[in-house]
Amino acid sequence: MRIFSGIQPTGAKHLGNYIGAIRNYVALQEKGDAFFCIVDLHSITSDYDPDDLRESTLSLAALLFAAGLDPERSTVFAQSHVPAHPEAAWLLGSVTSFGELRRMTQFKDKREQQDFVSAGLFTYPVLQAADILLYQTDLVPIGEDQRQHLELSRNVAERFNSRFGETFSLPDAMIPEVGGRIMDLQEPDRKMSTTGGTAQGTVGVLDPPETIRKKISRAVTDTAGIVRHDPERQPGVSNLLAILAECTGEQPGAYPNYGALKRDVTEAVDTLLAPIRKRHAELADDPTYVREILAEGKTRVRPAALATVRRARHAIGLLSL
Ligand code: ATP
Ligand code: MG
């Protein structure tokens, strides 16, 4: 079974990324042939700093290893190191309609957040489809927000296959039921986000314990005064309960008040993240090691990507010499 997922390097990765996606990468590396891609070409579609991008590509790789990806089992690589990704995206762009891209809710959300809306931001889901389809992927561990993009990838693959002949496998999404959508602690009606969330409402995987405590203790709740899971009427409290359940792996018990709940959430989050923070600090001291693993990742994935892109090129009618 081929497992594939992509994650953006820009910005500090947060608790939502960890619970919704990264944790499942780690679980799935035991179950199949797992490729994880640091999608730096996606990061350049929104505002970013070039030097930061280089740094954060290495730092994210270190974070993935700190979180438990084992370079012996999983292949971790940077998207821009495999030119077949943008090439396949161009081919797939010809079987993706303008109308379906315009319906993507991520594009609608992200365009609101910036003055300059790049063409790359609009065609982002096509590159994402290429990322996934190039590796004949069976399963894609992602958060709830990526459901629509995964559906698009499947539709595009089906359309390509039916017009030009069997070329791509159809991938399935793996989305956690509870942890697939962790909300911003300050604005619990929107997801915790690397680039679009509030600073105080986003718990970084690498945040120091004191920062975590402050952010959780200031999390927005409501005036009902009752701790219960009711995402419609009590989105903040329900989000804290979801985080607690995901961190401990147990159903939360009863709480007399919000303060008591927040104390337990703080402890549970810190217990979950502390070992990752520690291993990341160790790895960050050794950037050469991380670079070597990324170089090896590139070498490992290139033949698979090239094989698919060659098939796609031929199927679509391009001349080879
Ligand atoms: P941005 O908001 O800028 O797109 P992001 O936080 O979504 O950044 P990505 O690198 O795009 O980060 O996503 C990495 C993975 O984390 C994806 O599988 C995505 O679905 C998942 N994910 C992102 N936010 C959440 C969240 N709030 N809860 C659960 N999973 C999430
Ligand atoms: Mg995202």
Side-chain angles (χ1 to χ4, degrees):
M1 178 168 67
R2 168 83 77 219
I3 293 138
F4 176 93
S5 199
I7 182 162
Q8 293 196 66
T10 32
K13 300 325 275 186
H14 53 77
L15 188 61
N17 298 134
Y18 181 68
I19 292 175
I22 299 171
R23 193 154 70 161
N24 281 329
Y25 303 172
V26 178
L28 284 172
Q29 68 181 342
E30 312 290 333
K31 303 223 161 69
D33 196 7
F35 287 3
F36 299 107
C37 182
I38 300 180
V39 291
D40 48 2
L41 295 175
H42 285 295
S43 284
I44 64 173
T45 62
S46 294
D47 196 26
Y48 75 102
D49 177 88
D51 287 323
D52 282 355
L53 178 58
R54 265 182 287 271
E55 279 291 310
S56 55
T57 300
L58 288 173
S59 175
L60 175 57
L63 180 72
L64 294 175
F65 300 130
L69 283 189
D70 172 359
E72 298 289 317
R73 288 175 193 272
S74 293
T75 303
V76 178
F77 68 102
Q79 187 183 30
S80 65
H81 293 165
V82 188
H85 287 243
E87 182 176 358
W90 187 259
L91 302 183
L92 292 170
S94 63
V95 290
T96 310
S97 76
F98 176 71
E100 60 193 344
L101 287 180
R102 210 170 39 178
R103 283 195 292 278
M104 293 295 117
T105 55
Q106 176 172 296
F107 175 69
K108 292 188 210 168
D109 291 345
K110 289 197 173 180
R111 72 178 294 183
E112 300 285 304
Q113 296 164 16
Q114 42 214 301
D115 299 328
F116 180 80
V117 179
S118 71
L121 185 67
F122 184 66
T123 55
Y124 183 121
V126 185
L127 180 57
Q128 185 172 342
D131 299 340
I132 298 166
L133 299 175
L134 269 178
Y135 300 104
Q136 308 295 348
T137 300
D138 300 301
L139 196 61
V140 190
I142 41 176
E144 182 61 45
D145 65 305
Q146 292 303 318
R147 190 185 288 280
Q148 194 185 31
H149 285 170
L150 201 273
E151 205 46 49
L152 178 83
S153 301
R154 287 177 62 97
N155 291 340
V156 165
E158 264 184 320
R159 202 172 298 141
F160 190 103
N161 290 347
S162 72
R163 171 131 190 241
F164 302 115
E166 253 344 277
T167 308
F168 302 109
S169 311
L170 300 192
D172 285 312
M174 176 187 179
I175 301 173
E177 214 170 295
V178 179
R181 193 171 178 80
I182 301 296
M183 310 307 273
D184 188 287
L185 300 182
Q186 288 298 317
E187 294 181 12
D189 51 348
R190 64 170 173 167
K191 81 165 188 89
M192 204 175 269
S193 155
T194 310
T195 53
T198 67
Q200 287 311 307
T202 308
V203 176
V205 175
L206 299 176
D207 275 354
E210 186 49 24
T211 309
I212 295 178
R213 193 192 62 74
K214 276 196 193 131
K215 287 178 178 173
I216 294 173
S217 71
R218 289 172 195 161
V220 165
T221 51
D222 51 66
T223 53
I226 304 166
V227 176
R228 68 183 157 198
H229 189 77
D230 182 352
E232 282 286 302
R233 272 172 292 187
Q234 296 184 251
V237 171
S238 303
N239 188 38
L240 290 173
L241 285 168
I243 292 172
L244 184 58
E246 284 290 333
C247 290
T248 61
E250 286 166 16
Q251 269 314 310
Y255 283 93
N257 54 52
Y258 297 157
L261 172 65
K262 286 176 171 179
R263 275 192 294 280
D264 273 14
V265 173
T266 303
E267 196 189 314
V269 169
D270 198 52
T271 305
L272 188 74
L273 300 182
I276 303 174
R277 207 162 50 223
K278 187 164 166 276
R279 282 196 297 271
H280 186 266
E282 290 159 13
L283 283 168
D285 285 341
D286 194 357
T288 327
Y289 169 75
V290 176
R291 275 177 187 271
E292 277 166 12
I293 300 178
L294 287 179
E296 202 181 302
K298 167 176 100 170
T299 315
R300 266 196 245 165
V301 302
R302 271 187 170 179
L306 198 58
T308 304
V309 90
R310 281 207 178 116
R311 270 166 72 186
R313 257 190 236 157
H314 180 77
I316 211 166
L318 300 177
L319 175 71
S320 56
L321 294 174

